[in-house]
PDB file of all heavy atoms in Angstrom:
ATOM      1  N   PRO A 183     -27.814  31.578  -8.837  1.00 97.00           N
ATOM      2  CA  PRO A 183     -29.241  31.365  -9.112  1.00 97.00           C
ATOM      3  C   PRO A 183     -29.711  32.053 -10.380  1.00 97.00           C
ATOM      4  O   PRO A 183     -30.653  31.577 -11.030  1.00 97.00           O
ATOM      5  CB  PRO A 183     -29.932  31.954  -7.893  1.00 97.00           C
ATOM      6  CG  PRO A 183     -28.972  32.953  -7.341  1.00 97.00           C
ATOM      7  CD  PRO A 183     -27.610  32.402  -7.630  1.00 97.00           C
ATOM      8  N   LYS A 184     -29.058  33.145 -10.720  1.00 94.00           N
ATOM      9  CA  LYS A 184     -29.497  33.908 -11.916  1.00 94.00           C
ATOM     10  C   LYS A 184     -28.309  34.648 -12.505  1.00 94.00           C
ATOM     11  O   LYS A 184     -27.342  34.948 -11.807  1.00 94.00           O
ATOM     12  CB  LYS A 184     -30.517  34.975 -11.518  1.00 94.00           C
ATOM     13  CG  LYS A 184     -31.892  34.449 -11.266  1.00 94.00           C
ATOM     14  CD  LYS A 184     -32.843  35.576 -11.066  1.00 94.00           C
ATOM     15  CE  LYS A 184     -34.169  35.059 -10.538  1.00 94.00           C
ATOM     16  NZ  LYS A 184     -35.047  36.153 -10.136  1.00 94.00           N
ATOM     17  N   SER A 185     -28.423  34.975 -13.771  1.00 83.00           N
ATOM     18  CA  SER A 185     -27.501  35.949 -14.363  1.00 83.00           C
ATOM     19  C   SER A 185     -28.363  36.778 -15.308  1.00 83.00           C
ATOM     20  O   SER A 185     -29.557  36.518 -15.431  1.00 83.00           O
ATOM     21  CB  SER A 185     -26.389  35.239 -15.152  1.00 83.00           C
ATOM     22  OG  SER A 185     -26.927  34.720 -16.333  1.00 83.00           O
ATOM     23  N   ARG A 186     -27.764  37.714 -15.989  1.00 83.00           N
ATOM     24  CA  ARG A 186     -28.582  38.549 -16.881  1.00 83.00           C
ATOM     25  C   ARG A 186     -29.233  37.696 -17.979  1.00 83.00           C
ATOM     26  O   ARG A 186     -30.374  37.905 -18.350  1.00 83.00           O
ATOM     27  CB  ARG A 186     -27.704  39.643 -17.513  1.00 83.00           C
ATOM     28  CG  ARG A 186     -27.915  40.960 -16.813  1.00 83.00           C
ATOM     29  CD  ARG A 186     -26.891  41.988 -17.167  1.00 83.00           C
ATOM     30  NE  ARG A 186     -26.255  42.495 -15.973  1.00 83.00           N
ATOM     31  CZ  ARG A 186     -24.965  42.359 -15.675  1.00 83.00           C
ATOM     32  NH1 ARG A 186     -24.170  41.745 -16.497  1.00 83.00           N
ATOM     33  NH2 ARG A 186     -24.490  42.844 -14.557  1.00 83.00           N
ATOM     34  N   GLN A 187     -28.503  36.681 -18.431  1.00 86.00           N
ATOM     35  CA  GLN A 187     -29.047  35.840 -19.509  1.00 86.00           C
ATOM     36  C   GLN A 187     -29.965  34.730 -18.964  1.00 86.00           C
ATOM     37  O   GLN A 187     -30.858  34.274 -19.644  1.00 86.00           O
ATOM     38  CB  GLN A 187     -27.935  35.165 -20.318  1.00 86.00           C
ATOM     39  CG  GLN A 187     -26.958  36.121 -20.993  1.00 86.00           C
ATOM     40  CD  GLN A 187     -25.904  36.652 -20.022  1.00 86.00           C
ATOM     41  OE1 GLN A 187     -25.529  35.981 -19.070  1.00 86.00           O
ATOM     42  NE2 GLN A 187     -25.456  37.878 -20.244  1.00 86.00           N
ATOM     43  N   ARG A 188     -29.664  34.277 -17.746  1.00 85.00           N
ATOM     44  CA  ARG A 188     -30.407  33.144 -17.198  1.00 85.00           C
ATOM     45  C   ARG A 188     -31.324  33.625 -16.100  1.00 85.00           C
ATOM     46  O   ARG A 188     -30.934  33.745 -14.957  1.00 85.00           O
ATOM     47  CB  ARG A 188     -29.436  32.125 -16.562  1.00 85.00           C
ATOM     48  CG  ARG A 188     -28.671  31.267 -17.485  1.00 85.00           C
ATOM     49  CD  ARG A 188     -27.716  30.382 -16.694  1.00 85.00           C
ATOM     50  NE  ARG A 188     -26.663  31.138 -16.033  1.00 85.00           N
ATOM     51  CZ  ARG A 188     -26.601  31.381 -14.742  1.00 85.00           C
ATOM     52  NH1 ARG A 188     -27.508  30.939 -13.909  1.00 85.00           N
ATOM     53  NH2 ARG A 188     -25.615  32.081 -14.238  1.00 85.00           N
ATOM     54  N   THR A 189     -32.553  33.919 -16.425  1.00 90.00           N
ATOM     55  CA  THR A 189     -33.419  34.468 -15.390  1.00 90.00           C
ATOM     56  C   THR A 189     -34.399  33.413 -14.857  1.00 90.00           C
ATOM     57  O   THR A 189     -34.965  33.592 -13.794  1.00 90.00           O
ATOM     58  CB  THR A 189     -34.211  35.667 -15.933  1.00 90.00           C
ATOM     59  OG1 THR A 189     -34.805  35.266 -17.159  1.00 90.00           O
ATOM     60  CG2 THR A 189     -33.316  36.878 -16.163  1.00 90.00           C
ATOM     61  N   SER A 190     -34.593  32.311 -15.590  1.00 96.00           N
ATOM     62  CA  SER A 190     -35.645  31.382 -15.178  1.00 96.00           C
ATOM     63  C   SER A 190     -35.117  30.147 -14.429  1.00 96.00           C
ATOM     64  O   SER A 190     -35.915  29.366 -13.903  1.00 96.00           O
ATOM     65  CB  SER A 190     -36.442  30.928 -16.404  1.00 96.00           C
ATOM     66  OG  SER A 190     -35.578  30.227 -17.269  1.00 96.00           O
ATOM     67  N   ASN A 191     -33.806  29.968 -14.352  1.00 96.00           N
ATOM     68  CA  ASN A 191     -33.271  28.750 -13.725  1.00 96.00           C
ATOM     69  C   ASN A 191     -33.679  28.612 -12.253  1.00 96.00           C
ATOM     70  O   ASN A 191     -33.933  27.517 -11.773  1.00 96.00           O
ATOM     71  CB  ASN A 191     -31.752  28.659 -13.850  1.00 96.00           C
ATOM     72  CG  ASN A 191     -31.328  28.392 -15.280  1.00 96.00           C
ATOM     73  OD1 ASN A 191     -32.147  28.420 -16.179  1.00 96.00           O
ATOM     74  ND2 ASN A 191     -30.043  28.129 -15.495  1.00 96.00           N
ATOM     75  N   PHE A 192     -33.721  29.751 -11.556  1.00 98.00           N
ATOM     76  CA  PHE A 192     -34.057  29.694 -10.139  1.00 98.00           C
ATOM     77  C   PHE A 192     -35.474  29.145  -9.942  1.00 98.00           C
ATOM     78  O   PHE A 192     -35.710  28.226  -9.172  1.00 98.00           O
ATOM     79  CB  PHE A 192     -33.909  31.079  -9.505  1.00 98.00           C
ATOM     80  CG  PHE A 192     -34.342  31.122  -8.073  1.00 98.00           C
ATOM     81  CD1 PHE A 192     -33.663  30.369  -7.116  1.00 98.00           C
ATOM     82  CD2 PHE A 192     -35.420  31.892  -7.675  1.00 98.00           C
ATOM     83  CE1 PHE A 192     -34.057  30.386  -5.785  1.00 98.00           C
ATOM     84  CE2 PHE A 192     -35.816  31.910  -6.340  1.00 98.00           C
ATOM     85  CZ  PHE A 192     -35.138  31.159  -5.400  1.00 98.00           C
ATOM     86  N   GLU A 193     -36.395  29.698 -10.701  1.00 98.00           N
ATOM     87  CA  GLU A 193     -37.791  29.255 -10.607  1.00 98.00           C
ATOM     88  C   GLU A 193     -37.911  27.764 -10.974  1.00 98.00           C
ATOM     89  O   GLU A 193     -38.607  27.001 -10.281  1.00 98.00           O
ATOM     90  CB  GLU A 193     -38.606  30.099 -11.588  1.00 98.00           C
ATOM     91  CG  GLU A 193     -40.063  30.029 -11.358  1.00 98.00           C
ATOM     92  CD  GLU A 193     -40.797  30.999 -12.318  1.00 98.00           C
ATOM     93  OE1 GLU A 193     -40.161  31.912 -12.889  1.00 98.00           O
ATOM     94  OE2 GLU A 193     -42.008  30.782 -12.478  1.00 98.00           O
ATOM     95  N   ARG A 194     -37.205  27.374 -12.011  1.00 97.00           N
ATOM     96  CA  ARG A 194     -37.265  25.963 -12.433  1.00 97.00           C
ATOM     97  C   ARG A 194     -36.705  25.058 -11.332  1.00 97.00           C
ATOM     98  O   ARG A 194     -37.240  23.983 -11.076  1.00 97.00           O
ATOM     99  CB  ARG A 194     -36.493  25.768 -13.738  1.00 97.00           C
ATOM    100  CG  ARG A 194     -37.205  26.414 -14.921  1.00 97.00           C
ATOM    101  CD  ARG A 194     -36.244  26.695 -16.052  1.00 97.00           C
ATOM    102  NE  ARG A 194     -35.927  25.537 -16.854  1.00 97.00           N
ATOM    103  CZ  ARG A 194     -34.986  25.498 -17.798  1.00 97.00           C
ATOM    104  NH1 ARG A 194     -34.257  26.578 -18.036  1.00 97.00           N
ATOM    105  NH2 ARG A 194     -34.772  24.421 -18.498  1.00 97.00           N
ATOM    106  N   ALA A 195     -35.644  25.494 -10.713  1.00 98.00           N
ATOM    107  CA  ALA A 195     -35.023  24.690  -9.642  1.00 98.00           C
ATOM    108  C   ALA A 195     -35.980  24.531  -8.474  1.00 98.00           C
ATOM    109  O   ALA A 195     -36.149  23.427  -7.928  1.00 98.00           O
ATOM    110  CB  ALA A 195     -33.730  25.360  -9.181  1.00 98.00           C
ATOM    111  N   ILE A 196     -36.643  25.607  -8.096  1.00 98.00           N
ATOM    112  CA  ILE A 196     -37.572  25.553  -6.947  1.00 98.00           C
ATOM    113  C   ILE A 196     -38.718  24.580  -7.250  1.00 98.00           C
ATOM    114  O   ILE A 196     -39.127  23.789  -6.402  1.00 98.00           O
ATOM    115  CB  ILE A 196     -38.098  26.967  -6.581  1.00 98.00           C
ATOM    116  CG1 ILE A 196     -36.961  27.845  -6.081  1.00 98.00           C
ATOM    117  CG2 ILE A 196     -39.255  26.898  -5.581  1.00 98.00           C
ATOM    118  CD1 ILE A 196     -36.313  27.412  -4.781  1.00 98.00           C
ATOM    119  N   GLU A 197     -39.206  24.624  -8.482  1.00 98.00           N
ATOM    120  CA  GLU A 197     -40.291  23.702  -8.841  1.00 98.00           C
ATOM    121  C   GLU A 197     -39.850  22.245  -8.696  1.00 98.00           C
ATOM    122  O   GLU A 197     -40.626  21.411  -8.245  1.00 98.00           O
ATOM    123  CB  GLU A 197     -40.794  23.975 -10.279  1.00 98.00           C
ATOM    124  CG  GLU A 197     -41.467  25.340 -10.480  1.00 98.00           C
ATOM    125  CD  GLU A 197     -42.673  25.591  -9.562  1.00 98.00           C
ATOM    126  OE1 GLU A 197     -43.190  24.651  -8.940  1.00 98.00           O
ATOM    127  OE2 GLU A 197     -43.089  26.782  -9.452  1.00 98.00           O
ATOM    128  N   ILE A 198     -38.615  21.947  -9.033  1.00 98.00           N
ATOM    129  CA  ILE A 198     -38.116  20.563  -8.894  1.00 98.00           C
ATOM    130  C   ILE A 198     -38.000  20.197  -7.417  1.00 98.00           C
ATOM    131  O   ILE A 198     -38.441  19.111  -6.990  1.00 98.00           O
ATOM    132  CB  ILE A 198     -36.745  20.419  -9.605  1.00 98.00           C
ATOM    133  CG1 ILE A 198     -36.933  20.573 -11.103  1.00 98.00           C
ATOM    134  CG2 ILE A 198     -36.102  19.072  -9.256  1.00 98.00           C
ATOM    135  CD1 ILE A 198     -35.650  20.749 -11.887  1.00 98.00           C
ATOM    136  N   ILE A 199     -37.451  21.092  -6.619  1.00 98.00           N
ATOM    137  CA  ILE A 199     -37.246  20.796  -5.191  1.00 98.00           C
ATOM    138  C   ILE A 199     -38.598  20.600  -4.486  1.00 98.00           C
ATOM    139  O   ILE A 199     -38.745  19.727  -3.629  1.00 98.00           O
ATOM    140  CB  ILE A 199     -36.410  21.919  -4.536  1.00 98.00           C
ATOM    141  CG1 ILE A 199     -35.016  21.962  -5.153  1.00 98.00           C
ATOM    142  CG2 ILE A 199     -36.325  21.735  -3.023  1.00 98.00           C
ATOM    143  CD1 ILE A 199     -34.182  23.168  -4.789  1.00 98.00           C
ATOM    144  N   LYS A 200     -39.599  21.359  -4.931  1.00 98.00           N
ATOM    145  CA  LYS A 200     -40.945  21.253  -4.326  1.00 98.00           C
ATOM    146  C   LYS A 200     -41.591  19.882  -4.550  1.00 98.00           C
ATOM    147  O   LYS A 200     -42.515  19.512  -3.830  1.00 98.00           O
ATOM    148  CB  LYS A 200     -41.852  22.312  -4.958  1.00 98.00           C
ATOM    149  CG  LYS A 200     -41.819  23.671  -4.285  1.00 98.00           C
ATOM    150  CD  LYS A 200     -42.870  24.522  -4.975  1.00 98.00           C
ATOM    151  CE  LYS A 200     -42.999  25.887  -4.404  1.00 98.00           C
ATOM    152  NZ  LYS A 200     -43.845  26.740  -5.277  1.00 98.00           N
ATOM    153  N   ARG A 201     -41.107  19.157  -5.540  1.00 98.00           N
ATOM    154  CA  ARG A 201     -41.688  17.813  -5.762  1.00 98.00           C
ATOM    155  C   ARG A 201     -41.407  16.912  -4.559  1.00 98.00           C
ATOM    156  O   ARG A 201     -42.127  15.945  -4.336  1.00 98.00           O
ATOM    157  CB  ARG A 201     -41.028  17.158  -6.992  1.00 98.00           C
ATOM    158  CG  ARG A 201     -41.428  17.752  -8.303  1.00 98.00           C
ATOM    159  CD  ARG A 201     -40.750  16.916  -9.397  1.00 98.00           C
ATOM    160  NE  ARG A 201     -40.577  17.682 -10.604  1.00 98.00           N
ATOM    161  CZ  ARG A 201     -39.596  17.517 -11.475  1.00 98.00           C
ATOM    162  NH1 ARG A 201     -38.666  16.599 -11.275  1.00 98.00           N
ATOM    163  NH2 ARG A 201     -39.517  18.247 -12.562  1.00 98.00           N
ATOM    164  N   HIS A 202     -40.337  17.171  -3.863  1.00 98.00           N
ATOM    165  CA  HIS A 202     -39.932  16.242  -2.780  1.00 98.00           C
ATOM    166  C   HIS A 202     -39.945  16.852  -1.385  1.00 98.00           C
ATOM    167  O   HIS A 202     -40.177  16.145  -0.419  1.00 98.00           O
ATOM    168  CB  HIS A 202     -38.511  15.705  -3.058  1.00 98.00           C
ATOM    169  CG  HIS A 202     -38.391  15.077  -4.395  1.00 98.00           C
ATOM    170  ND1 HIS A 202     -39.002  13.885  -4.692  1.00 98.00           N
ATOM    171  CD2 HIS A 202     -37.747  15.477  -5.512  1.00 98.00           C
ATOM    172  CE1 HIS A 202     -38.726  13.564  -5.952  1.00 98.00           C
ATOM    173  NE2 HIS A 202     -37.972  14.514  -6.471  1.00 98.00           N
ATOM    174  N   LYS A 203     -39.645  18.135  -1.259  1.00 98.00           N
ATOM    175  CA  LYS A 203     -39.581  18.722   0.075  1.00 98.00           C
ATOM    176  C   LYS A 203     -40.908  19.418   0.400  1.00 98.00           C
ATOM    177  O   LYS A 203     -41.515  20.029  -0.481  1.00 98.00           O
ATOM    178  CB  LYS A 203     -38.443  19.761   0.138  1.00 98.00           C
ATOM    179  CG  LYS A 203     -37.043  19.169   0.232  1.00 98.00           C
ATOM    180  CD  LYS A 203     -36.024  20.278   0.330  1.00 98.00           C
ATOM    181  CE  LYS A 203     -34.611  19.770   0.384  1.00 98.00           C
ATOM    182  NZ  LYS A 203     -34.143  19.543   1.766  1.00 98.00           N
ATOM    183  N   PRO A 204     -41.348  19.321   1.671  1.00 98.00           N
ATOM    184  CA  PRO A 204     -42.629  19.946   2.002  1.00 98.00           C
ATOM    185  C   PRO A 204     -42.573  21.476   1.977  1.00 98.00           C
ATOM    186  O   PRO A 204     -41.506  22.078   2.146  1.00 98.00           O
ATOM    187  CB  PRO A 204     -42.911  19.438   3.413  1.00 98.00           C
ATOM    188  CG  PRO A 204     -41.667  18.839   3.930  1.00 98.00           C
ATOM    189  CD  PRO A 204     -40.755  18.555   2.773  1.00 98.00           C
TER     190      PRO A 204
END
Side-chain angles (χ1 to χ4, degrees):
K184 282 187 191 171
S185 73
R186 259 167 235 116
Q187 301 80 30
R188 284 177 293 106
T189 50
S190 63
N191 290 8
F192 175 63
E193 195 176 342
R194 289 158 79 189
I196 295 295
E197 294 303 346
I198 293 167
I199 296 169
K200 273 185 179 169
R201 289 184 204 149
H202 305 290
K203 283 181 181 270

